[in-house]
Amino acid sequence: MTSTSRRGSLIRDAENAEKENASSSSSKSGFWKKCEIVVTSAGNTMSQICEKLKNEDVIVSYIETRNGTLIKNVAGNSNTSFLITCIGNDNDITTGLKRLESIGCKATIVNGTERTAEWFPRHVTELELCRGTKTDYEPDKDSNHPGFNDPVYVERRNYISNIAHFYKHGTDIPTVDYTNEDRQTWSVVYKTLKRLHATHACKVYKDNFQRLEKECGYSPNKIPQLQTVSEFLKEQTGFQLQPAPGIITPRDFLASLAFKVFQCTQYIRHPASPMHSPEPDCCHELIGHIPMLLDPTFALYSQQIGLASLGVSDSDITKLATLYWFTVEFGLCKENNVLKAYGAGLMSSYGELQHALSDVPMHLPLQAEKTCLQPYEDSVYQPIYFVSESFDEAFNQVRAFSQHCTKRGFDITYNENDGYIQTVPYINL
């Protein structure tokens, strides 16, 4: 997702998410709002009422039976009224009320002004709408980028990025014909990092890296194609790759994880700086991220952060992005009481991997509710790293955090069989 030299940008991007989402959301479904309605039932069960609303993508988050409040209908019979709090966009709520009227209910909006959730994709194919990118660090924009004065590199980068812009879910990821320069850069990065991984990486990472060498052709002399890696990854943990045009905005990137999709760049960093990149490239993605995504528990952890991000506020996106940063990107763990690294930002950075396991920085236990608030340094190695006792512990923490520390009013699950997100309301009767 991010390169090690771009530390801090994920959080800054999240903090500026409202501005970024203004343009990217305009082609989507708009903002959701919380709406309170009073429904007078004409003999319909509560489940029938909820089902009608659910069919219009309206989420019921609270139901209160108005005991003792009986309303006479025209025939003189008494009907019970309900106060229902629901969440949805204007069109869906309006249609939902019409559906209630069609089964003989009377529904009246009593409060519908509070915006409660941002748009989020409901089907895996809608991830095509989640490709918002930051362009500040691209070689034709940033004068500090190693490729800034290399028009040939810029043209090639743009060509490869366009593959992602036009990619359609369910189709094969196009093959990139890497140049000799690309392969030389990959080889330098690969050999240098692998030597350090032998002593600094956790066992899960090292074992899975060996599997990638065996099954996907990882080697110093060959850059794996995303389609090959994606097929193997999906067989193992259900995750699959989708080509990314560049640095994806936090909300869009985290949303893709909910669907077990990892947005992955295909271009290679500039050959003038093989051990440094101001943005993510496939060295960072394939060497840093993919080995850990082959671990079932770690894959569930990544998906849980994605599910937690759907529909939440910008401030919650910032918290989740921070949690992602200090775990998936720069996380440490214990193995037989020995400190080891698993974060992709560390596994793809020779210098920071050495720094992280030294006595220089602080090593604190992972506590999701505190870690999510920890600021991090932008231009130097991290002064603080967070340590997980196990991946199971980290998964349980982020699951609990997403349920209790984000303000959404409903829970979310992903049905892999049909590719749809399902909403699960928090109902208090």
mmCIF file of all heavy atoms in Angstrom, residues 2 28 87 107-108 153-154 165 170 179 198 200 206 217 260 301 315 320 338 347 350 374 384 399 406 412 415:
data_model
loop_
_atom_site.group_PDB
_atom_site.id
_atom_site.type_symbol
_atom_site.label_atom_id
_atom_site.label_comp_id
_atom_site.label_asym_id
_atom_site.label_seq_id
_atom_site.Cartn_x
_atom_site.Cartn_y
_atom_site.Cartn_z
ATOM 1 N N THR A 2 1.832 1.295 0.867
ATOM 2 C CA THR A 2 2.665 2.474 0.968
ATOM 3 C C THR A 2 4.111 2.081 0.968
ATOM 4 O O THR A 2 4.472 0.975 1.315
ATOM 5 C CB THR A 2 2.384 3.229 2.277
ATOM 6 O OG1 THR A 2 2.613 2.340 3.365
ATOM 7 C CG2 THR A 2 0.978 3.752 2.315
ATOM 8 N N LYS A 28 -20.693 8.075 -7.342
ATOM 9 C CA LYS A 28 -21.196 6.915 -6.626
ATOM 10 C C LYS A 28 -22.631 7.172 -6.184
ATOM 11 O O LYS A 28 -23.427 7.719 -6.915
ATOM 12 C CB LYS A 28 -20.258 6.604 -5.456
ATOM 13 C CG LYS A 28 -18.807 6.361 -5.928
ATOM 14 C CD LYS A 28 -17.857 6.153 -4.772
ATOM 15 C CE LYS A 28 -16.418 6.046 -5.254
ATOM 16 N NZ LYS A 28 -15.473 5.885 -4.146
ATOM 17 N N ILE A 87 -30.859 3.459 8.346
ATOM 18 C CA ILE A 87 -29.744 4.134 7.682
ATOM 19 C C ILE A 87 -29.785 3.810 6.197
ATOM 20 O O ILE A 87 -29.918 2.655 5.798
ATOM 21 C CB ILE A 87 -28.397 3.682 8.284
ATOM 22 C CG1 ILE A 87 -28.337 4.022 9.774
ATOM 23 C CG2 ILE A 87 -27.222 4.317 7.556
ATOM 24 C CD1 ILE A 87 -27.166 3.408 10.501
ATOM 25 N N ALA A 107 -46.162 4.887 7.192
ATOM 26 C CA ALA A 107 -44.808 5.219 7.634
ATOM 27 C C ALA A 107 -44.580 6.716 7.492
ATOM 28 O O ALA A 107 -44.846 7.309 6.444
ATOM 29 C CB ALA A 107 -43.780 4.453 6.808
ATOM 30 N N THR A 108 -44.088 7.324 8.574
ATOM 31 C CA THR A 108 -43.849 8.765 8.587
ATOM 32 C C THR A 108 -42.444 9.053 9.106
ATOM 33 O O THR A 108 -42.050 8.539 10.157
ATOM 34 C CB THR A 108 -44.863 9.484 9.502
ATOM 35 O OG1 THR A 108 -46.184 9.147 9.090
ATOM 36 C CG2 THR A 108 -44.667 10.986 9.431
ATOM 37 N N TYR A 153 11.125 6.946 -18.331
ATOM 38 C CA TYR A 153 10.572 6.248 -17.167
ATOM 39 C C TYR A 153 9.152 6.727 -16.882
ATOM 40 O O TYR A 153 8.261 5.911 -16.604
ATOM 41 C CB TYR A 153 11.458 6.491 -15.944
ATOM 42 C CG TYR A 153 10.926 5.856 -14.680
ATOM 43 C CD1 TYR A 153 11.120 4.498 -14.419
ATOM 44 C CD2 TYR A 153 10.200 6.609 -13.749
ATOM 45 C CE1 TYR A 153 10.622 3.916 -13.271
ATOM 46 C CE2 TYR A 153 9.700 6.025 -12.591
ATOM 47 C CZ TYR A 153 9.909 4.688 -12.348
ATOM 48 O OH TYR A 153 9.408 4.102 -11.215
ATOM 49 N N VAL A 154 8.937 8.033 -16.958
ATOM 50 C CA VAL A 154 7.603 8.594 -16.699
ATOM 51 C C VAL A 154 6.582 8.033 -17.684
ATOM 52 O O VAL A 154 5.476 7.635 -17.300
ATOM 53 C CB VAL A 154 7.633 10.128 -16.772
ATOM 54 C CG1 VAL A 154 6.213 10.693 -16.738
ATOM 55 C CG2 VAL A 154 8.464 10.704 -15.630
ATOM 56 N N HIS A 165 -6.265 1.490 -14.430
ATOM 57 C CA HIS A 165 -7.425 2.356 -14.636
ATOM 58 C C HIS A 165 -8.517 1.657 -15.441
ATOM 59 O O HIS A 165 -9.706 1.904 -15.238
ATOM 60 C CB HIS A 165 -7.011 3.642 -15.345
ATOM 61 C CG HIS A 165 -6.317 4.631 -14.443
ATOM 62 N ND1 HIS A 165 -6.934 5.192 -13.341
ATOM 63 C CD2 HIS A 165 -5.063 5.151 -14.481
ATOM 64 C CE1 HIS A 165 -6.101 6.016 -12.737
ATOM 65 N NE2 HIS A 165 -4.956 6.016 -13.401
ATOM 66 N N GLY A 170 -12.716 -9.680 -12.404
ATOM 67 C CA GLY A 170 -13.070 -10.966 -12.989
ATOM 68 C C GLY A 170 -12.288 -11.299 -14.240
ATOM 69 O O GLY A 170 -12.348 -12.439 -14.717
ATOM 70 N N THR A 179 11.405 -4.547 -18.482
ATOM 71 C CA THR A 179 12.650 -4.292 -19.208
ATOM 72 C C THR A 179 13.838 -4.878 -18.449
ATOM 73 O O THR A 179 13.727 -5.296 -17.297
ATOM 74 C CB THR A 179 12.871 -2.782 -19.385
ATOM 75 O OG1 THR A 179 13.077 -2.191 -18.088
ATOM 76 C CG2 THR A 179 11.663 -2.128 -20.049
ATOM 77 N N ALA A 198 16.536 -13.485 6.583
ATOM 78 C CA ALA A 198 16.941 -14.737 7.231
ATOM 79 C C ALA A 198 17.068 -14.592 8.738
ATOM 80 O O ALA A 198 16.782 -15.527 9.493
ATOM 81 C CB ALA A 198 18.253 -15.229 6.629
ATOM 82 N N HIS A 200 15.915 -11.494 10.478
ATOM 83 C CA HIS A 200 15.018 -10.491 11.049
ATOM 84 C C HIS A 200 13.525 -10.779 10.854
ATOM 85 O O HIS A 200 12.705 -10.197 11.557
ATOM 86 C CB HIS A 200 15.329 -9.118 10.439
ATOM 87 C CG HIS A 200 16.608 -8.511 10.941
ATOM 88 N ND1 HIS A 200 17.825 -9.130 10.827
ATOM 89 C CD2 HIS A 200 16.853 -7.329 11.568
ATOM 90 C CE1 HIS A 200 18.776 -8.351 11.347
ATOM 91 N NE2 HIS A 200 18.202 -7.269 11.808
ATOM 92 N N LYS A 206 8.954 -16.063 6.334
ATOM 93 C CA LYS A 206 10.003 -16.808 5.631
ATOM 94 C C LYS A 206 9.455 -18.079 4.978
ATOM 95 O O LYS A 206 9.812 -18.402 3.841
ATOM 96 C CB LYS A 206 11.140 -17.142 6.602
ATOM 97 C CG LYS A 206 11.941 -15.921 7.030
ATOM 98 C CD LYS A 206 13.162 -16.284 7.854
ATOM 99 C CE LYS A 206 12.781 -16.794 9.230
ATOM 100 N NZ LYS A 206 13.966 -17.008 10.080
ATOM 101 N N GLY A 217 7.273 -18.669 -8.925
ATOM 102 C CA GLY A 217 8.457 -18.275 -9.677
ATOM 103 C C GLY A 217 9.214 -17.090 -9.114
ATOM 104 O O GLY A 217 9.983 -16.444 -9.832
ATOM 105 N N LYS A 260 -11.613 -8.915 0.309
ATOM 106 C CA LYS A 260 -10.424 -9.754 0.112
ATOM 107 C C LYS A 260 -9.730 -9.435 -1.205
ATOM 108 O O LYS A 260 -9.282 -10.319 -1.938
ATOM 109 C CB LYS A 260 -10.784 -11.243 0.185
ATOM 110 C CG LYS A 260 -11.157 -11.718 1.575
ATOM 111 C CD LYS A 260 -11.225 -13.234 1.645
ATOM 112 C CE LYS A 260 -11.401 -13.708 3.081
ATOM 113 N NZ LYS A 260 -11.422 -15.190 3.162
ATOM 114 N N TYR A 301 -7.191 -10.801 9.469
ATOM 115 C CA TYR A 301 -6.915 -9.524 10.131
ATOM 116 C C TYR A 301 -7.024 -8.372 9.138
ATOM 117 O O TYR A 301 -7.668 -7.349 9.409
ATOM 118 C CB TYR A 301 -5.517 -9.558 10.750
ATOM 119 C CG TYR A 301 -5.080 -8.238 11.354
ATOM 120 C CD1 TYR A 301 -5.390 -7.932 12.670
ATOM 121 C CD2 TYR A 301 -4.365 -7.296 10.605
ATOM 122 C CE1 TYR A 301 -4.997 -6.720 13.233
ATOM 123 C CE2 TYR A 301 -3.981 -6.091 11.161
ATOM 124 C CZ TYR A 301 -4.298 -5.804 12.470
ATOM 125 O OH TYR A 301 -3.921 -4.602 13.010
ATOM 126 N N SER A 315 -12.794 10.519 10.582
ATOM 127 C CA SER A 315 -11.936 10.365 11.758
ATOM 128 C C SER A 315 -11.697 8.890 12.068
ATOM 129 O O SER A 315 -10.602 8.503 12.491
ATOM 130 C CB SER A 315 -12.547 11.071 12.974
ATOM 131 O OG SER A 315 -13.798 10.494 13.314
ATOM 132 N N LEU A 320 -8.293 3.740 11.704
ATOM 133 C CA LEU A 320 -8.067 2.434 11.092
ATOM 134 C C LEU A 320 -6.814 2.436 10.222
ATOM 135 O O LEU A 320 -6.063 1.455 10.179
ATOM 136 C CB LEU A 320 -9.287 2.020 10.269
ATOM 137 C CG LEU A 320 -10.534 1.698 11.089
ATOM 138 C CD1 LEU A 320 -11.763 1.622 10.197
ATOM 139 C CD2 LEU A 320 -10.355 0.385 11.857
ATOM 140 N N VAL A 338 11.532 -13.801 21.162
ATOM 141 C CA VAL A 338 12.509 -13.040 20.376
ATOM 142 C C VAL A 338 11.742 -12.135 19.420
ATOM 143 O O VAL A 338 10.785 -12.564 18.770
ATOM 144 C CB VAL A 338 13.454 -13.974 19.585
ATOM 145 C CG1 VAL A 338 14.404 -13.152 18.707
ATOM 146 C CG2 VAL A 338 14.243 -14.851 20.546
ATOM 147 N N MET A 347 9.689 -5.275 5.751
ATOM 148 C CA MET A 347 10.223 -6.352 4.927
ATOM 149 C C MET A 347 10.739 -5.855 3.583
ATOM 150 O O MET A 347 11.490 -6.546 2.901
ATOM 151 C CB MET A 347 9.161 -7.436 4.691
ATOM 152 C CG MET A 347 8.483 -7.949 5.942
ATOM 153 S SD MET A 347 9.603 -8.258 7.324
ATOM 154 C CE MET A 347 10.569 -9.583 6.703
ATOM 155 N N TYR A 350 15.529 -2.265 3.776
ATOM 156 C CA TYR A 350 16.736 -2.805 4.414
ATOM 157 C C TYR A 350 17.115 -1.989 5.644
ATOM 158 O O TYR A 350 17.382 -2.544 6.716
ATOM 159 C CB TYR A 350 17.882 -2.801 3.404
ATOM 160 C CG TYR A 350 19.147 -3.465 3.892
ATOM 161 C CD1 TYR A 350 19.317 -4.838 3.750
ATOM 162 C CD2 TYR A 350 20.169 -2.731 4.487
ATOM 163 C CE1 TYR A 350 20.469 -5.472 4.194
ATOM 164 C CE2 TYR A 350 21.332 -3.346 4.939
ATOM 165 C CZ TYR A 350 21.476 -4.719 4.787
ATOM 166 O OH TYR A 350 22.626 -5.325 5.226
ATOM 167 N N GLN A 374 -1.716 6.859 17.779
ATOM 168 C CA GLN A 374 -0.289 7.165 17.836
ATOM 169 C C GLN A 374 0.171 7.893 16.574
ATOM 170 O O GLN A 374 0.102 7.335 15.478
ATOM 171 C CB GLN A 374 0.511 5.871 17.999
ATOM 172 C CG GLN A 374 2.010 6.059 17.963
ATOM 173 C CD GLN A 374 2.532 6.863 19.139
ATOM 174 O OE1 GLN A 374 2.105 6.661 20.266
ATOM 175 N NE2 GLN A 374 3.442 7.779 18.869
ATOM 176 N N ILE A 384 8.771 4.495 17.496
ATOM 177 C CA ILE A 384 7.947 3.545 18.248
ATOM 178 C C ILE A 384 7.419 2.469 17.300
ATOM 179 O O ILE A 384 6.950 2.771 16.196
ATOM 180 C CB ILE A 384 6.763 4.254 18.928
ATOM 181 C CG1 ILE A 384 7.243 5.265 19.965
ATOM 182 C CG2 ILE A 384 5.819 3.238 19.577
ATOM 183 C CD1 ILE A 384 6.128 6.089 20.571
ATOM 184 N N ARG A 399 -10.923 -6.743 15.729
ATOM 185 C CA ARG A 399 -12.350 -7.062 15.643
ATOM 186 C C ARG A 399 -13.124 -6.354 16.753
ATOM 187 O O ARG A 399 -14.173 -5.757 16.504
ATOM 188 C CB ARG A 399 -12.555 -8.574 15.716
ATOM 189 C CG ARG A 399 -14.017 -8.995 15.615
ATOM 190 C CD ARG A 399 -14.134 -10.488 15.418
ATOM 191 N NE ARG A 399 -13.417 -11.237 16.435
ATOM 192 C CZ ARG A 399 -13.255 -12.559 16.387
ATOM 193 N NH1 ARG A 399 -13.737 -13.244 15.366
ATOM 194 N NH2 ARG A 399 -12.607 -13.179 17.359
ATOM 195 N N THR A 406 -15.729 2.334 16.492
ATOM 196 C CA THR A 406 -16.174 3.059 15.304
ATOM 197 C C THR A 406 -17.670 3.294 15.411
ATOM 198 O O THR A 406 -18.402 2.462 15.945
ATOM 199 C CB THR A 406 -15.854 2.280 14.007
ATOM 200 O OG1 THR A 406 -16.467 0.987 14.075
ATOM 201 C CG2 THR A 406 -14.358 2.117 13.835
ATOM 202 N N ILE A 412 -20.952 -5.440 9.478
ATOM 203 C CA ILE A 412 -20.873 -5.819 8.069
ATOM 204 C C ILE A 412 -20.162 -7.154 7.932
ATOM 205 O O ILE A 412 -19.193 -7.431 8.635
ATOM 206 C CB ILE A 412 -20.127 -4.735 7.258
ATOM 207 C CG1 ILE A 412 -21.053 -3.549 6.991
ATOM 208 C CG2 ILE A 412 -19.597 -5.280 5.946
ATOM 209 C CD1 ILE A 412 -20.394 -2.412 6.259
ATOM 210 N N ASN A 415 -20.048 -11.886 1.918
ATOM 211 C CA ASN A 415 -20.422 -13.189 1.374
ATOM 212 C C ASN A 415 -19.562 -13.462 0.146
ATOM 213 O O ASN A 415 -19.796 -12.904 -0.923
ATOM 214 C CB ASN A 415 -21.917 -13.200 1.019
ATOM 215 C CG ASN A 415 -22.405 -14.584 0.631
ATOM 216 O OD1 ASN A 415 -21.673 -15.383 0.055
ATOM 217 N ND2 ASN A 415 -23.660 -14.873 0.946
#
